[in-house]
Amino acid sequence: MGYIPLNADRRKISLGRKRIKYTHLAEKLDNDILGSDDLVLLHQIQIDLPRTVVYREFLEHAEIRLAVQRVLFTRALRNPTSSYVQGMNELMVPFLIAFLAEFQAVPPLELDVSEITTSQFHVAEADSYWCFCKFLGVMQNHYTFGQPGIQESCFKVKELLKRADSELYEHLTNEGVDVLHFAFRWLNCLFLREFPAKCIPRLMDTYLAEGDDLPHFIEHFCLVILLKWSAQFKEMTFQSIVSFIQNPPTKRWTVSEVRYFPQMH
């Protein structure tokens, strides 16, 4: 992601500066008098956190919730164009859990929050903030007013499907199923809600590797998901299609099954 300098001699100093800078940003917000719009924004974040699906069990810890809240709120106030929209909470949590798990040298799901020190929490929160900001920068127009990036990607998914499987496209059209019925959430949360927690590190690793091509990759990921169940969809009516897409049979998938999808785009 470019967060850590390639030059090993500069890493410690660079990371130290970044972490101190984030601490100052977060502390300044804590001390500032918030306006009415800021309070509404903060309230929305607080409402969304309990609804978060990604690594839900970790959000039962107050320290985790507060760290995620601070990162989302700090970023929103420093980026008023995109601010905060629902879905960002899902994308933020994997960064924090990954950085915390690194202190224990364990996979994210094996993290023992009770063993994390206060200083480790501060370091992980700061690193999460900068990486999360950089990650969202690749998809900035997905989260600006009206989310035009997602609207455009939905159109592209529709066009890809039309070329790849015209029969499925026509069937969905005839049944009144619009791409927006399902692709909006996929594109907004990058499929993190659709797959089990054990698959999230693999998904995030793939997304980070795609870099600036991530929006293009996700559009093709949507297509691959649709093509996988094309035969079933063609036998379904509107309600069955929508229900299936809202709850796809992916919750029991393994990392090896998820690994197969990126290779298909």
Side-chain angles (χ1 to χ4, degrees):
M1 293 187 72
Y3 176 55
I4 299 177
L6 295 177
N7 187 330
D9 295 334
R10 296 176 49 212
R11 288 176 187 170
K12 186 175 182 179
I13 295 175
S14 178
L15 287 174
R17 287 174 178 170
K18 286 284 190 180
R19 290 163 181 167
I20 290 172
K21 184 176 181 179
Y22 170 74
T23 298
H24 289 165
L25 291 174
E27 287 178 348
K28 184 177 185 301
L29 291 178
D30 287 339
N31 295 327
D32 282 351
I33 298 176
L34 300 177
S36 58
D37 290 343
D38 298 337
L39 291 173
V40 169
L41 174 63
L42 179 59
H43 181 61
Q44 184 60 58
I45 293 172
Q46 292 170 336
I47 290 175
D48 288 344
L49 286 181
R51 302 171 179 168
T52 304
V53 173
V54 176
Y55 292 145
R56 181 194 298 272
E57 64 274 23
F58 290 113
L59 288 168
E60 295 175 1
H61 298 271
E63 302 95 332
I64 299 287
R65 287 198 306 276
L66 288 173
V68 175
Q69 177 181 302
R70 276 192 298 267
V71 169
L72 292 173
F73 189 54
T74 302
R75 187 209 166 271
L77 294 188
R78 285 180 54 80
N79 295 269
T81 302
S82 53
S83 187
Y84 168 80
V85 297
Q86 290 175 318
M88 287 184 181
N89 50 312
E90 308 284 0
L91 303 179
M92 159 55 204
V93 175
F95 285 102
L96 181 62
I97 300 305
F99 280 121
L100 289 173
E102 191 173 333
F103 286 115
Q104 298 175 353
V106 297
L109 285 178
E110 296 178 20
L111 169 66
D112 184 350
V113 179
S114 65
E115 295 296 320
I116 297 293
T117 66
T118 300
S119 62
Q120 289 173 337
F121 261 113
H122 291 164
V123 168
E125 182 180 331
D127 291 345
S128 299
Y129 171 80
W130 294 112
C131 290
F132 179 61
C133 289
K134 191 171 182 62
F135 183 66
L136 287 191
V138 175
M139 307 176 293
Q140 185 75 13
N141 65 346
H142 275 215
Y143 303 105
T144 53
F145 180 74
Q147 299 183 268
I150 291 182
Q151 301 285 348
E152 180 181 354
S153 287
C154 283
F155 173 78
K156 290 180 180 178
V157 171
K158 185 184 297 186
E159 292 301 305
L160 287 170
L161 180 61
K162 189 186 300 185
R163 294 200 299 269
D165 191 337
S166 59
E167 289 186 11
L168 176 58
Y169 174 81
E170 290 178 7
H171 179 69
L172 294 178
T173 301
N174 291 337
E175 289 296 325
V177 179
D178 191 280
V179 169
L180 279 172
H181 285 143
F182 51 86
F184 191 91
R185 189 175 87 173
W186 290 354
L187 292 160
N188 194 46
C189 299
L190 305 184
F191 288 98
L192 297 186
R193 293 172 61 102
E194 274 62 48
F195 291 91
K198 61 188 174 184
C199 296
I200 289 175
R202 171 64 188 186
L203 288 171
M204 292 299 296
D205 186 56
T206 301
Y207 297 158
L208 294 174
E210 288 295 325
D212 292 341
D213 290 330
L214 178 56
H216 174 74
F217 171 81
I218 290 294
E219 292 158 9
H220 283 77
F221 200 167
C222 291
L223 173 65
V224 171
I225 290 290
L226 289 170
L227 295 180
K228 176 174 176 58
W229 289 295
S230 175
Q232 291 95 315
F233 287 142
K234 290 172 185 176
E235 300 297 322
M236 296 179 182
T237 58
F238 172 84
Q239 191 58 52
S240 297
I241 294 171
V242 172
S243 297
F244 185 96
I245 288 175
Q246 288 177 342
N247 297 284
T250 53
K251 292 301 182 183
R252 295 184 179 179
W253 280 20
T254 64
V255 174
S256 61
E257 289 172 298
V258 171
R259 186 181 294 119
Y260 167 74
F261 277 90
Q263 298 171 359
M264 294 183 63
H265 90 287

